[in-house]
Amino acid sequence: MSNAPEMIANLEKLGDEFLAVIRPLADEQSIRAAQAQFLGKKGKVSELMKELGRLPAGDRPLVGAAVNKVKQTIEDQVQSRLVELADAVARQDLARKVDVTLPARPIGGGHLHLLTQVRLEAVQIFAELGFVVAEGPQIETDWHTFEALAIPKDHPARDMQDTFYVSEEIVLRTHTSPVQVRTMLTQPPPIRIVAPGHVFRRDDDPTHSPMFTQIEGLAVDVGISFADLKGTLLHFVKRFFQRDLGIRLRPSYFPFVEPGAEVDMQCSFCMGSGCRVCKGTGWVEIGGSGMVDPEVFGLCGVDAEKYTGFAFGMGLERMAMLRHAVNDIKFYYEGDIRFLEQF
Ligand code: FA5
C-alpha cells in the first residue's frame, strides 16, 4: 500500500516524465495524445489517483494538492509547447513569403491640390500677358475692403457680400479687390497685377463656400479701355479651358467700377447649347469686372485725368468646377484622397 510521501514523489516524477515526453514532439496532435496519456481517464495521473482512496484520511488533502499541481504543470507545459510551435510555424511562413531581395514597392508621390494647380495655371496665363502677382492680407481693414472701393458703411452694396467682422474696423476680406487698393497706394502706373487668394463670406451651399479663392486683376495705364478688359478675359477663358469658348460682359453694378459687368463664359459642358449646368442658358457666370471708377482712383492717389484702368475678380473654385465637372464645392476642402487623386 502506498503512503503519502511516496505518492507525492511519484506525482512529481510524472511531471518530469511528461516534460521529457513532449519536448521532442513537433505537432499539436501528438502533444494532445501525450496529454491524454497523462491526464486522460485512464492516464497515468488518474491511475495514481485511484490510490488516493487507500490513504489515511489525514494525508489525502496533501496528496490531493500534489495531484492538482502536477495536472496544472502538465496543462501549462502543453500550452507553452503549443505556443512555441505556432511561433515556429509563423516564422517559417514569414521566411517563405517575404522575399527580402525583391525591390521595395514604390511609394506613391503626392501632387498639388486641384485648386493650387488651377491657381498656378491662371497666374501663368496672366503672366504671359505681362501681369505680375500681388498679395494682400486675408485679415484686412474695413477701409481697404470697402471704403477705398467706394463702399461706405451705410452703402447698400455691403449687403451683397455678407462679411465676417473681426472688430468694427477689421474684417476677413470678402474679395481680393482690396489688393487693388494696396497696389495703387504703393506703386505708380503702369500697373498690371493679378492677386490670387482666399476670401471669406457668410455663404454656404453646393456652389458657395464660406472660404473660397478669387483671382483679382488690375491694369492701370494711359489709354486702357473696355476692349482691353474684354480681350484679356477672352484670352484667359480660351487658354484656361483650352477651347474656343466665347465670353459676354453683362452690365452689372459694383460700386468700384464704372461701367461694371458680370463676366459670363459659354458653358464648357454644352458649348453654349444649353444644359443642366448652365440652367439651359448656354452661359455661366465666372466673375465681376469693369473700368476702375475715378472715385477709387481719387481715394488711392491715382491721377484720374491721366489714367484709366480695368479690374476683374473671378472665383477659382467655380472655374475648376466647370473644367473638371466637380458638382460640390465642399469636395475641394474635405481632403478625401479618392477625390484629390483624380487630378
Ligand atoms: C466680387 O467679389 C468683386 N470683387 C469682383 C470684381 C472685381 C468686380 C473687380 C469688379 C472689378 P462677386 O461677389 O460677384 O464679385 O464674386 C466674384 C466671383 O466669386 C463670383 O462670380 C463667383 O465665381 C465667386 N464667388 C462668389 N461667392 C462665392 C462663394 N461663396 N463660394 C465660391 N465662389 C464664390
Side-chain angles (χ1 to χ4, degrees), residues 14-15 43 49 75 91 113 179 195 209 227 236 239 254 270 294 337:
L14 273 186
M49 276 169 69
E75 299 280 5
R91 267 197 302 276
H113 190 282
V179 185
S209 159
F236 173 73
R239 277 286 313 274
F254 298 95
C270 61
I337 205 80

Side-chain angles (χ1 to χ4, degrees), residues 37-108:
Q37 228 182 344
F38 281 70
L39 294 186
K41 266 194 200 140
K42 291 189 180 149
K44 297 188 179 195
V45 176
S46 309
E47 289 301 319
L48 264 183
M49 276 169 69
K50 279 183 195 156
E51 292 177 31
L52 206 58
R54 292 198 282 263
L55 286 178
D59 287 348
R60 284 182 206 158
L62 207 61
V63 179
V67 170
N68 286 339
K69 192 172 159 209
V70 77
K71 277 183 172 172
Q72 192 56 51
T73 311
I74 290 175
E75 299 280 5
D76 289 351
Q77 283 168 358
V78 167
Q79 220 30 54
S80 76
R81 189 73 189 112
L82 288 177
V83 170
E84 267 173 33
L85 277 179
D87 276 358
V89 169
R91 267 197 302 276
Q92 265 173 12
D93 274 2
L94 214 60
R96 218 178 303 126
K97 280 179 194 148
V98 178
D99 180 351
V100 291
T101 64
L102 283 176
R105 261 191 224 133
I107 298 170

Side-chain angles (χ1 to χ4, degrees), residues 205-209 211-212 317-318 321 326-333:
D205 66 40
T207 53
H208 292 85
S209 159
M211 189 278 296
F212 62 102
E317 282 81 358
R318 201 62 68 77
M321 282 171 105
V326 177
N327 58 13
D328 193 322
I329 199 163
K330 305 287 179 307
F331 286 133
Y332 294 127
Y333 314 114

